[in-house]
Amino acid sequence: MNGEKRIGTAYAAGACAMAVFCLGPIAVMALTAVSRRADFLVPGVGFAFTAGHFLEVLRAESLHFPEYFRNSLVVSGISAALSVFVAAPAAYALARMALPGRMAVLLAVLSVSMFPQVSLVGYLFRLMSSMGWVNTYVALVLPYTAWTLPLSLWILTGYFSRIPRDIDRAALMDGCGPLEALRKVILPVAAPGVFSTAILAFIFSFNELLFALMLTTDHRARTIPVGIALFEGLHGEIPWGSVMAAATLTVAPVVVLALAFQRRIVQGLTRGAVKE
């Protein structure tokens, strides 16, 4: 075996190992959701198919799964839209204008985003309590928007930096102001990057747990990650079948989004990483 074949074999083995490591837990989750017994992997138990766990999750009023799902979609969708709406003009200014300390601003935003959530959630709870917003969508939309804003800003700044400046100059010569040039010319050109940024902000918000756990109290605003974590049987036991069925239903829209727009997501993350 020559050197190229050895390298190719090593790459293939690494890719297979990574796929098994990442997809193995998801496969176990899906199998547990359709198994009569959660301990089907134990020798001698065996696997028996059932759709009962999915029906229970969707029909049982005490679990409030449809309400949790709706809350997650609404909160994540609004947060992603707000994050992109705020980040786009800021990223355009950082990419196009000769601002002093431009890189320092980007690094400062990045450093703020690295604060651990647990160090902020206490102050957020006091703020939301004083405003009377606990257990409302607003209590989640504002923190989620702030949380995903650094990610959106970095992706869009890199994307806008790759758009030729001649397009801006042509728009300005045609009578557009900077904001008008951004709205009518730059954003349509950068639509794939803007769209992938919105998808990533949506996924980040959809999967968040700690803020939703502390800032909601019942099914009126509680999101799916918290709702599933609080699933409990009649006698305090954990209904693993229902938990895995709810988790399978929860990851479905995220997986569909990632598969449908994987090319645009990769483009949005990698464009701007290498400046031509």
Side-chain angles (χ1 to χ4, degrees), residues 20-99:
V20 171
F21 181 78
C22 294
L23 298 179
I26 297 177
V28 173
M29 175 186 72
L31 289 174
T32 306
V34 295
S35 174
R36 289 188 184 278
R37 295 187 55 169
D39 56 349
F40 68 94
L41 290 176
V42 175
V45 174
F47 177 85
F49 177 82
T50 179
H53 299 311
F54 288 99
L55 296 177
E56 181 184 4
V57 166
L58 294 174
R59 292 176 178 175
E61 294 183 1
S62 60
L63 296 180
H64 300 291
F65 181 80
E67 290 89 344
Y68 296 152
F69 195 79
R70 179 199 61 206
N71 295 338
S72 286
L73 291 178
V74 172
V75 169
S76 302
I78 296 175
S79 302
L82 281 176
S83 179
V84 172
F85 180 77
V86 175
Y92 181 68
L94 290 170
R96 285 294 192 263
M97 298 181 181
L99 300 174

Side-chain angles (χ1 to χ4, degrees), residues 92-179:
Y92 181 68
L94 290 170
R96 285 294 192 263
M97 298 181 181
L99 300 174
R102 170 180 172 274
M103 185 52 67
V105 172
L106 286 173
L107 291 176
V109 171
L110 182 64
S111 63
V112 169
S113 71
M114 292 181 180
F115 281 12
Q117 286 181 276
V118 69
S119 67
L120 304 173
V121 70
Y123 300 103
L124 268 177
F125 182 80
R126 291 177 60 183
L127 174 63
M128 297 302 174
S129 297
S130 64
M131 301 293 287
W133 288 346
V134 171
N135 204 36
T136 66
Y137 287 165
V138 178
L140 297 180
V141 167
L142 294 180
Y144 286 0
T145 302
W147 188 48
T148 56
L149 195 54
L151 173 71
S152 302
L153 182 66
W154 269 83
I155 294 176
L156 289 177
T157 301
Y159 212 92
F160 289 158
S161 298
R162 286 179 55 91
I163 297 176
R165 290 177 181 270
D166 291 341
I167 295 178
D168 302 55
R169 297 190 186 101
L172 295 175
M173 289 179 66
D174 287 341
C176 291
L179 288 179

Side-chain angles (χ1 to χ4, degrees), residues 175-201:
C176 291
L179 288 179
E180 200 173 11
L182 170 65
R183 182 169 58 86
K184 292 184 177 179
V185 179
I186 301 301
L187 285 181
V189 173
V194 174
F195 186 74
S196 62
T197 304
I199 293 293
L200 288 172

Side-chain angles (χ1 to χ4, degrees), residues 25 28-34 38 53-54 57 228 231 239-250:
V28 173
M29 175 186 72
L31 289 174
T32 306
V34 295
H53 299 311
F54 288 99
V57 166
I228 294 176
F231 273 11
W240 287 110
S242 298
V243 169
M244 294 302 170
T248 303
L249 292 172
T250 300

Side-chain angles (χ1 to χ4, degrees), residues 199-221:
I199 293 293
L200 288 172
F202 178 89
I203 292 174
F204 272 54
S205 302
F206 196 85
N207 292 331
E208 201 281 332
L209 172 67
L210 185 58
F211 289 162
L213 177 64
M214 296 298 294
L215 300 175
T216 60
T217 57
D218 60 29
H219 64 277
R220 288 175 296 179

